[in-house]
Amino acid sequence: MLYFAYASNLSKKYMAGRCPHAVPLKKVRLKDHKLTFNELADIVPFKGEDVIGGLYLISKQDLEKLDALEGHPDLYERIMVELEDEEGNLYEAFVYSMVDKKEQAPPESYYKILIEGYKDWEIDMERLERAKRFE
């Protein structure tokens, strides 16, 4: 199955520690959503904004691990989204979105993992920095 990572699981090293059999595929875009922080990273619908992240191929066992690690269904819910790659190809994947929405700055150690992931996938840091400033 396909999984869209936009936060700490963007770090290929971090994700490999969580789900060693997950296969990073490509950079993709989630349209009409915005990255925000509710202490941890989250996505919210927002017309005209995009969230850039990584598309992974994962197994059922990986899904079970991620559900436990992401606090599904209490902290994060799983939703299906349509994603687009740089060539315009479309993909259906699941993504985690926080159940409770309350803006709060991320811990610095967590934010550093996100920076590592953005570098791994060659994603422009602008959206991440704007999210941290709640813009």
Side-chain angles (χ1 to χ4, degrees):
M1 67 188 61
L2 296 176
Y3 162 59
F4 175 58
Y6 60 86
S8 58
N9 291 332
L10 276 173
S11 164
K12 292 178 182 178
K13 178 181 173 187
Y14 191 76
M15 184 64 171
R18 297 176 130 205
C19 300
H21 303 293
V23 179
L25 299 175
K26 56 175 47 190
K27 184 166 50 172
V28 289
R29 169 185 317 272
L30 174 61
K31 291 185 175 183
D32 293 325
H33 282 76
K34 180 178 170 180
L35 180 69
T36 188
F37 285 102
N38 300 314
E39 184 175 10
L40 301 175
D42 192 17
I43 54 171
V44 293
F46 198 93
K47 192 79 173 158
E49 289 279 338
D50 297 332
V51 176
I52 308 298
L55 187 64
Y56 284 93
L57 179 63
I58 67 165
S59 67
K60 186 176 189 316
Q61 292 80 11
D62 291 334
L63 175 63
E64 291 169 359
K65 280 185 184 178
L66 285 174
D67 278 353
L69 293 165
E70 300 295 336
H72 172 73
D74 300 322
L75 182 60
Y76 282 93
E77 64 183 332
R78 249 192 284 133
I79 58 174
M80 293 301 293
V81 293
E82 183 178 80
L83 305 162
E84 185 176 346
D85 68 16
E86 294 172 325
E87 293 81 41
N89 299 307
L90 300 177
Y91 304 87
E92 283 253 340
F94 80 89
V95 64
Y96 291 100
S97 177
M98 291 190 97
V99 174
D100 294 325
K101 310 286 188 187
K102 56 182 184 301
E103 287 186 340
Q104 185 177 346
E108 199 57 38
S109 58
Y110 175 77
Y111 191 76
K112 286 179 182 177
I113 295 169
L114 272 64
I115 291 171
E116 182 181 305
Y118 269 62
K119 289 178 182 176
D120 285 349
W121 290 87
E122 299 178 355
I123 300 171
D124 185 330
M125 297 285 176
E126 177 194 353
R127 285 179 180 85
L128 182 61
E129 292 165 358
R130 282 192 341 225
K132 189 177 181 186
R133 294 189 305 263
F134 300 106
E135 291 179 6

